[in-house]
Amino acid sequence: MPAQIIQVNDKPFNKVDIDPVTLEVIENALRNARVEMDATLVRTAMSPGIREQGDAFPLIADSKGRMIVGQFGSYIGPFLDGFEGTVEDGDLIFLSDPYSVNGAISHSNDWLVLMPVFKDGRLVAFTSMFGHMSDIGGKVPGSMPIDATSIFQEGVRIPPVKLWKQGQFNEDLYKLVMHQVRTPEWCSADLNALIAACRVSSRRVIEMCERFGDDVYASATDMLLERNRRAMQTLISTSVSEEKVSFEDYICDDGLGYGPYKIRCTMWRENDRVILDFEGTDPQSQASINFLLNENMMKMFFGIYMIMVFDPQILFNDGFYDLIEVRIPEGSLLKPKFPAALSGRTHALGRLFDILGGLLGQKTPEFLNGAGFSSSPHLFYAGTDSKGKWFQLFQIGFGGIPGRPLGDGPDGHSLWPGFTNVPNEFLERYFPLRIERYETVADSGGAGLHRGGNGINMVYRFLEPGVIAIHDDRWFVPPWGVNGGLPGTRARKVLVKADGTEIVLGNKVEDYPVEADDQLHFITWGGGGWGDPLERDPALIVKEIAQGLVTADGALNYGVVVAVDGTVDAAETDALRSKMRSEREETGSPFNFGPDIETLRANCLAETGLPAPKQPKWANVE
């Protein structure tokens, strides 16, 4: 039964004509309100994941729950369809359980608040924001056990409940939730920051309604949605073929020794509509790498990718959803059945962007990116220091962004444009560790006319005993290159003990003990290259050698020979490039995946220092 909206004034909005200037003013006012939500959050949150890195996502929607500005797309419509209760003025809905909202949020660490905006007794909008909590209880610090086999091991699950009801605060509910977490001060501050951000945007919406009139505001949001739909309709008709194209990529392992896991998608156009069909994706995992993918979220991912590649000036919103149909098999890695664990879903989430690039680029290779969006590396470090004080770090790392049609991929950059790194000074001030090195890994980006972004080597020296956990990927299956570009290098994690002993760690480990003066080399993947590396300017290669981005040996991948004095040996370079051109084989494919899976398995131990993952054993999904 859908939610019941309680309105004192249920008069429908009148559709009115709006001049272009007024529409532009309202559009930019909404953009600014979204930015103000972020600013409010940063000023009031406490955890480094939200305050320093920005792991939170705002949304302003119309009265029907359709996102006007935001990032992940609206989850409000599906939520309202499944919420058995009322929505009233003064309510604030709070939730974190992915299964209760069909994956609108994708793991329990994401706490979501939803605020209906009423004016004169009539619903005019919704504002919402969700953010990643550094801890929500469960079996391990950070609440993201990679070895979890059930969501019940992943901490507190909050169904949709009213934290505020008709303006009254439910303090008992608040206390109950905070009693479940290891870091109640952080979680309390972060939750209140999410609420404060929604209240700010709610005020801005009401101010717009008061300035322009309710009917003008409602008509403007309808126009913004329709404008986006028209733009997306044009992009789809010119960029997506009626002929089916398929692409598949892999999550390297599940942290339990099994992998890789295949994600496959087939895309085609039927009249004005795009079909995205994930038939052929592997069944759900027994571990926590499952991703409960909400269909509307996938529509937004598709729309974001289309807009950013083909026309970045378009304001993306929910206006185009009826142009896309998403089909996801039940019981698959992307639609696991309850109570499958979900906390490690970040790898599948990141891989979807690589897959979208592989799909859209097959018919328009000039717009094709290499692989490298791939994942969102996590490090956890927790324990009790010598003064008896509990410490707990959750940090997001960055890999190399792929080479692109317009240029090189950024080195060590985030999958999400709004994410930033935690300053080293902050880490050293608030946690018992020291950052020994924070540097790009030379040659890790795939060679190409446009080089893939390099990965990062971040070296942590732990000053107190504790436990660490690592969540990363792209250590087994490398990020592929395109249009002649080479694959990027793979991720690697090495623990150097205080006595100098080196231990190669997996990229998914949980509760691994460390001692004082142990050093962790947290090395991320490089992005795939774009275009023929033999066409890259040798002078640029020499400059990058001086910058530490490429080595003299790595320059050979571009067919560039560097003399002893650091200059280009023109004659040797010409000869080498000619030789390389004559010896390479044309495959007819724009993709360079590197070795196949069985070759990767055979060479895994020698190349990575880790045993190859075994063929997955599928969970019982009957």
PDB file of all heavy atoms in Angstrom, residues 133-157:
ATOM      1  N   MET A 133      28.042   6.314   7.287  1.00  0.00           N
ATOM      2  CA  MET A 133      28.444   6.349   8.690  1.00  0.00           C
ATOM      3  C   MET A 133      29.685   5.475   8.894  1.00  0.00           C
ATOM      4  O   MET A 133      29.764   4.354   8.374  1.00  0.00           O
ATOM      5  CB  MET A 133      27.321   5.841   9.586  1.00  0.00           C
ATOM      6  CG  MET A 133      26.080   6.687   9.520  1.00  0.00           C
ATOM      7  SD  MET A 133      26.290   8.357  10.152  1.00  0.00           S
ATOM      8  CE  MET A 133      25.670   9.321   8.761  1.00  0.00           C
ATOM      9  N   SER A 134      30.623   5.974   9.652  1.00  0.00           N
ATOM     10  CA  SER A 134      31.887   5.265   9.840  1.00  0.00           C
ATOM     11  C   SER A 134      31.725   3.972  10.626  1.00  0.00           C
ATOM     12  O   SER A 134      32.578   3.087  10.543  1.00  0.00           O
ATOM     13  CB  SER A 134      32.900   6.170  10.552  1.00  0.00           C
ATOM     14  OG  SER A 134      33.269   7.241   9.720  1.00  0.00           O
ATOM     15  N   ASP A 135      30.637   3.847  11.384  1.00  0.00           N
ATOM     16  CA  ASP A 135      30.389   2.603  12.119  1.00  0.00           C
ATOM     17  C   ASP A 135      28.914   2.518  12.454  1.00  0.00           C
ATOM     18  O   ASP A 135      28.297   3.517  12.850  1.00  0.00           O
ATOM     19  CB  ASP A 135      31.217   2.546  13.404  1.00  0.00           C
ATOM     20  CG  ASP A 135      31.192   1.162  14.032  1.00  0.00           C
ATOM     21  OD1 ASP A 135      30.220   0.838  14.750  1.00  0.00           O
ATOM     22  OD2 ASP A 135      32.153   0.399  13.799  1.00  0.00           O
ATOM     23  N   ILE A 136      28.351   1.318  12.311  1.00  0.00           N
ATOM     24  CA  ILE A 136      26.947   1.097  12.691  1.00  0.00           C
ATOM     25  C   ILE A 136      26.812  -0.189  13.502  1.00  0.00           C
ATOM     26  O   ILE A 136      25.769  -0.832  13.505  1.00  0.00           O
ATOM     27  CB  ILE A 136      26.041   1.048  11.445  1.00  0.00           C
ATOM     28  CG1 ILE A 136      26.495  -0.046  10.465  1.00  0.00           C
ATOM     29  CG2 ILE A 136      25.992   2.407  10.749  1.00  0.00           C
ATOM     30  CD1 ILE A 136      25.472  -0.368   9.385  1.00  0.00           C
ATOM     31  N   GLY A 137      27.894  -0.576  14.188  1.00  0.00           N
ATOM     32  CA  GLY A 137      27.871  -1.810  14.957  1.00  0.00           C
ATOM     33  C   GLY A 137      28.288  -2.995  14.102  1.00  0.00           C
ATOM     34  O   GLY A 137      29.055  -2.869  13.157  1.00  0.00           O
ATOM     35  N   GLY A 138      27.791  -4.172  14.438  1.00  0.00           N
ATOM     36  CA  GLY A 138      28.137  -5.351  13.668  1.00  0.00           C
ATOM     37  C   GLY A 138      29.412  -6.015  14.145  1.00  0.00           C
ATOM     38  O   GLY A 138      29.997  -5.655  15.165  1.00  0.00           O
ATOM     39  N   LYS A 139      29.902  -6.970  13.368  1.00  0.00           N
ATOM     40  CA  LYS A 139      30.964  -7.867  13.831  1.00  0.00           C
ATOM     41  C   LYS A 139      32.356  -7.257  13.769  1.00  0.00           C
ATOM     42  O   LYS A 139      33.271  -7.766  14.417  1.00  0.00           O
ATOM     43  CB  LYS A 139      30.926  -9.177  13.030  1.00  0.00           C
ATOM     44  CG  LYS A 139      31.184  -9.030  11.547  1.00  0.00           C
ATOM     45  CD  LYS A 139      31.102 -10.382  10.819  1.00  0.00           C
ATOM     46  CE  LYS A 139      32.299 -11.250  11.129  1.00  0.00           C
ATOM     47  NZ  LYS A 139      32.383 -12.419  10.215  1.00  0.00           N
ATOM     48  N   VAL A 140      32.555  -6.179  12.986  1.00  0.00           N
ATOM     49  CA  VAL A 140      33.901  -5.599  12.866  1.00  0.00           C
ATOM     50  C   VAL A 140      33.822  -4.079  12.951  1.00  0.00           C
ATOM     51  O   VAL A 140      32.799  -3.477  12.611  1.00  0.00           O
ATOM     52  CB  VAL A 140      34.572  -6.003  11.531  1.00  0.00           C
ATOM     53  CG1 VAL A 140      34.773  -7.497  11.454  1.00  0.00           C
ATOM     54  CG2 VAL A 140      33.774  -5.498  10.333  1.00  0.00           C
ATOM     55  N   PRO A 141      34.903  -3.422  13.387  1.00  0.00           N
ATOM     56  CA  PRO A 141      34.943  -1.961  13.329  1.00  0.00           C
ATOM     57  C   PRO A 141      34.752  -1.472  11.892  1.00  0.00           C
ATOM     58  O   PRO A 141      35.353  -1.999  10.959  1.00  0.00           O
ATOM     59  CB  PRO A 141      36.347  -1.629  13.846  1.00  0.00           C
ATOM     60  CG  PRO A 141      36.757  -2.802  14.664  1.00  0.00           C
ATOM     61  CD  PRO A 141      36.131  -3.996  13.997  1.00  0.00           C
ATOM     62  N   GLY A 142      33.893  -0.495  11.735  1.00  0.00           N
ATOM     63  CA  GLY A 142      33.582   0.007  10.408  1.00  0.00           C
ATOM     64  C   GLY A 142      32.347  -0.616   9.809  1.00  0.00           C
ATOM     65  O   GLY A 142      31.780  -0.098   8.848  1.00  0.00           O
ATOM     66  N   SER A 143      31.941  -1.778  10.340  1.00  0.00           N
ATOM     67  CA  SER A 143      30.654  -2.391  10.002  1.00  0.00           C
ATOM     68  C   SER A 143      30.530  -2.831   8.551  1.00  0.00           C
ATOM     69  O   SER A 143      29.429  -2.912   8.011  1.00  0.00           O
ATOM     70  CB  SER A 143      29.502  -1.423  10.342  1.00  0.00           C
ATOM     71  OG  SER A 143      29.680  -0.847  11.604  1.00  0.00           O
ATOM     72  N   MET A 144      31.669  -3.122   7.900  1.00  0.00           N
ATOM     73  CA  MET A 144      31.640  -3.582   6.514  1.00  0.00           C
ATOM     74  C   MET A 144      32.458  -4.865   6.380  1.00  0.00           C
ATOM     75  O   MET A 144      33.458  -4.909   5.666  1.00  0.00           O
ATOM     76  CB  MET A 144      32.171  -2.495   5.585  1.00  0.00           C
ATOM     77  CG  MET A 144      31.315  -1.243   5.539  1.00  0.00           C
ATOM     78  SD  MET A 144      32.056   0.091   4.557  1.00  0.00           S
ATOM     79  CE  MET A 144      32.148  -0.669   2.947  1.00  0.00           C
ATOM     80  N   PRO A 145      32.041  -5.929   7.073  1.00  0.00           N
ATOM     81  CA  PRO A 145      32.819  -7.168   7.042  1.00  0.00           C
ATOM     82  C   PRO A 145      32.804  -7.804   5.657  1.00  0.00           C
ATOM     83  O   PRO A 145      31.748  -8.218   5.169  1.00  0.00           O
ATOM     84  CB  PRO A 145      32.124  -8.056   8.079  1.00  0.00           C
ATOM     85  CG  PRO A 145      30.732  -7.519   8.161  1.00  0.00           C
ATOM     86  CD  PRO A 145      30.838  -6.049   7.905  1.00  0.00           C
ATOM     87  N   ILE A 146      33.957  -7.873   5.027  1.00  0.00           N
ATOM     88  CA  ILE A 146      34.012  -8.446   3.681  1.00  0.00           C
ATOM     89  C   ILE A 146      33.675  -9.928   3.716  1.00  0.00           C
ATOM     90  O   ILE A 146      33.233 -10.499   2.716  1.00  0.00           O
ATOM     91  CB  ILE A 146      35.405  -8.206   3.049  1.00  0.00           C
ATOM     92  CG1 ILE A 146      35.345  -8.381   1.522  1.00  0.00           C
ATOM     93  CG2 ILE A 146      36.458  -9.099   3.665  1.00  0.00           C
ATOM     94  CD1 ILE A 146      34.510  -7.363   0.804  1.00  0.00           C
ATOM     95  N   ASP A 147      33.845 -10.560   4.881  1.00  0.00           N
ATOM     96  CA  ASP A 147      33.547 -11.983   5.005  1.00  0.00           C
ATOM     97  C   ASP A 147      32.141 -12.248   5.537  1.00  0.00           C
ATOM     98  O   ASP A 147      31.806 -13.383   5.879  1.00  0.00           O
ATOM     99  CB  ASP A 147      34.580 -12.669   5.899  1.00  0.00           C
ATOM    100  CG  ASP A 147      34.651 -12.064   7.302  1.00  0.00           C
ATOM    101  OD1 ASP A 147      34.050 -10.987   7.525  1.00  0.00           O
ATOM    102  OD2 ASP A 147      35.318 -12.664   8.163  1.00  0.00           O
ATOM    103  N   ALA A 148      31.314 -11.225   5.598  1.00  0.00           N
ATOM    104  CA  ALA A 148      29.942 -11.429   6.066  1.00  0.00           C
ATOM    105  C   ALA A 148      29.183 -12.324   5.089  1.00  0.00           C
ATOM    106  O   ALA A 148      29.346 -12.223   3.869  1.00  0.00           O
ATOM    107  CB  ALA A 148      29.228 -10.097   6.217  1.00  0.00           C
ATOM    108  N   THR A 149      28.358 -13.171   5.616  1.00  0.00           N
ATOM    109  CA  THR A 149      27.511 -14.039   4.790  1.00  0.00           C
ATOM    110  C   THR A 149      26.031 -13.703   4.944  1.00  0.00           C
ATOM    111  O   THR A 149      25.187 -14.347   4.339  1.00  0.00           O
ATOM    112  CB  THR A 149      27.741 -15.513   5.153  1.00  0.00           C
ATOM    113  OG1 THR A 149      27.484 -15.695   6.558  1.00  0.00           O
ATOM    114  CG2 THR A 149      29.170 -15.930   4.842  1.00  0.00           C
ATOM    115  N   SER A 150      25.737 -12.683   5.747  1.00  0.00           N
ATOM    116  CA  SER A 150      24.362 -12.260   5.978  1.00  0.00           C
ATOM    117  C   SER A 150      24.364 -10.799   6.371  1.00  0.00           C
ATOM    118  O   SER A 150      25.289 -10.315   7.038  1.00  0.00           O
ATOM    119  CB  SER A 150      23.717 -13.099   7.089  1.00  0.00           C
ATOM    120  OG  SER A 150      22.549 -12.474   7.587  1.00  0.00           O
ATOM    121  N   ILE A 151      23.346 -10.069   5.997  1.00  0.00           N
ATOM    122  CA  ILE A 151      23.246  -8.660   6.363  1.00  0.00           C
ATOM    123  C   ILE A 151      23.121  -8.480   7.871  1.00  0.00           C
ATOM    124  O   ILE A 151      23.434  -7.419   8.408  1.00  0.00           O
ATOM    125  CB  ILE A 151      22.068  -7.986   5.633  1.00  0.00           C
ATOM    126  CG1 ILE A 151      22.212  -6.459   5.692  1.00  0.00           C
ATOM    127  CG2 ILE A 151      20.725  -8.457   6.186  1.00  0.00           C
ATOM    128  CD1 ILE A 151      21.242  -5.717   4.809  1.00  0.00           C
ATOM    129  N   PHE A 152      22.724  -9.530   8.581  1.00  0.00           N
ATOM    130  CA  PHE A 152      22.603  -9.425  10.031  1.00  0.00           C
ATOM    131  C   PHE A 152      23.965  -9.262  10.709  1.00  0.00           C
ATOM    132  O   PHE A 152      24.032  -8.883  11.878  1.00  0.00           O
ATOM    133  CB  PHE A 152      21.881 -10.661  10.590  1.00  0.00           C
ATOM    134  CG  PHE A 152      20.457 -10.766  10.135  1.00  0.00           C
ATOM    135  CD1 PHE A 152      20.065 -11.781   9.278  1.00  0.00           C
ATOM    136  CD2 PHE A 152      19.502  -9.852  10.553  1.00  0.00           C
ATOM    137  CE1 PHE A 152      18.747 -11.886   8.844  1.00  0.00           C
ATOM    138  CE2 PHE A 152      18.186  -9.946  10.125  1.00  0.00           C
ATOM    139  CZ  PHE A 152      17.811 -10.975   9.267  1.00  0.00           C
ATOM    140  N   GLN A 153      25.033  -9.544   9.991  1.00  0.00           N
ATOM    141  CA  GLN A 153      26.388  -9.377  10.546  1.00  0.00           C
ATOM    142  C   GLN A 153      26.955  -7.980  10.290  1.00  0.00           C
ATOM    143  O   GLN A 153      28.060  -7.694  10.703  1.00  0.00           O
ATOM    144  CB  GLN A 153      27.315 -10.422   9.921  1.00  0.00           C
ATOM    145  CG  GLN A 153      26.932 -11.858  10.227  1.00  0.00           C
ATOM    146  CD  GLN A 153      27.735 -12.853   9.404  1.00  0.00           C
ATOM    147  OE1 GLN A 153      27.833 -12.746   8.189  1.00  0.00           O
ATOM    148  NE2 GLN A 153      28.327 -13.824  10.083  1.00  0.00           N
ATOM    149  N   GLU A 154      26.178  -7.141   9.619  1.00  0.00           N
ATOM    150  CA  GLU A 154      26.706  -5.864   9.145  1.00  0.00           C
ATOM    151  C   GLU A 154      26.230  -4.655   9.943  1.00  0.00           C
ATOM    152  O   GLU A 154      26.372  -3.520   9.491  1.00  0.00           O
ATOM    153  CB  GLU A 154      26.349  -5.688   7.663  1.00  0.00           C
ATOM    154  CG  GLU A 154      26.983  -6.762   6.795  1.00  0.00           C
ATOM    155  CD  GLU A 154      26.569  -6.683   5.341  1.00  0.00           C
ATOM    156  OE1 GLU A 154      25.498  -6.113   5.031  1.00  0.00           O
ATOM    157  OE2 GLU A 154      27.318  -7.196   4.487  1.00  0.00           O
ATOM    158  N   GLY A 155      25.690  -4.874  11.116  1.00  0.00           N
ATOM    159  CA  GLY A 155      25.314  -3.744  11.954  1.00  0.00           C
ATOM    160  C   GLY A 155      23.827  -3.463  11.943  1.00  0.00           C
ATOM    161  O   GLY A 155      23.016  -4.185  11.349  1.00  0.00           O
ATOM    162  N   VAL A 156      23.470  -2.364  12.610  1.00  0.00           N
ATOM    163  CA  VAL A 156      22.068  -2.012  12.797  1.00  0.00           C
ATOM    164  C   VAL A 156      21.408  -1.702  11.456  1.00  0.00           C
ATOM    165  O   VAL A 156      21.981  -1.030  10.603  1.00  0.00           O
ATOM    166  CB  VAL A 156      21.929  -0.816  13.769  1.00  0.00           C
ATOM    167  CG1 VAL A 156      22.621   0.422  13.234  1.00  0.00           C
ATOM    168  CG2 VAL A 156      20.469  -0.519  14.078  1.00  0.00           C
ATOM    169  N   ARG A 157      20.212  -2.246  11.266  1.00  0.00           N
ATOM    170  CA  ARG A 157      19.397  -1.983  10.083  1.00  0.00           C
ATOM    171  C   ARG A 157      18.169  -1.191  10.522  1.00  0.00           C
ATOM    172  O   ARG A 157      17.427  -1.628  11.399  1.00  0.00           O
ATOM    173  CB  ARG A 157      18.952  -3.280   9.412  1.00  0.00           C
ATOM    174  CG  ARG A 157      20.079  -4.099   8.832  1.00  0.00           C
ATOM    175  CD  ARG A 157      19.624  -5.527   8.513  1.00  0.00           C
ATOM    176  NE  ARG A 157      18.404  -5.553   7.728  1.00  0.00           N
ATOM    177  CZ  ARG A 157      17.320  -6.259   8.057  1.00  0.00           C
ATOM    178  NH1 ARG A 157      17.297  -6.976   9.181  1.00  0.00           N
ATOM    179  NH2 ARG A 157      16.254  -6.247   7.289  1.00  0.00           N
TER     180      ARG A 157
END
